[in-house]
Amino acid sequence: MTNETTPASSLTDKEREAIAQMPYEEARDQLIQAVQALEAGGLNLDQSMRQWELGEALAKRAQSLLSEVRDKLDAAQAEQATAANTAGTQDNLA
């Protein structure tokens, strides 16, 4: 019998929900603060792990938002290319 457990997180559900609602700029700025706190040193192990977990959650949020924007840009470019391909043809008169 294996004992598989999920590592405990120092982030609360409320903190995770707040991060999930953050705009990109806020997530980026808080990520920078978390990285600076880790780089500055002087944190004990628990504090370091909390900053790491916070940074991971913030980085995921920022990446998710960037991916959404990339998808929208890709869709807009594809739509523009389709429109350009049919411009001046009978296809766009339907």
Side-chain angles (χ1 to χ4, degrees):
M1 177 185 223
T2 60
N3 184 10
E4 293 183 33
T5 59
T6 304
S9 173
S10 64
L11 299 181
T12 66
D13 289 341
K14 185 176 180 180
E15 289 171 318
R16 290 186 182 284
E17 181 61 29
I19 290 170
Q21 301 302 318
M22 279 183 189
Y24 172 79
E25 292 80 5
E26 185 177 352
R28 180 202 58 214
D29 291 347
Q30 287 194 22
L31 174 58
I32 290 168
Q33 291 174 3
V35 170
Q36 288 173 340
L38 286 167
E39 288 177 341
L43 301 175
N44 65 35
L45 181 59
D46 289 337
Q47 292 168 328
S48 294
M49 286 303 299
R50 178 165 171 73
Q51 288 301 311
W52 181 269
E53 290 175 0
L54 183 60
E56 285 286 320
L58 291 163
K60 285 179 185 176
R61 174 63 179 159
Q63 186 58 51
S64 173
L65 291 168
L66 289 174
S67 293
E68 287 176 20
V69 170
R70 169 68 64 196
D71 292 345
K72 288 178 183 178
L73 287 173
D74 289 346
Q77 288 176 336
E79 185 178 320
Q80 185 178 25
T82 300
N85 289 338
T86 61
T89 67
Q90 293 295 317
D91 292 342
N92 66 350
L93 299 178

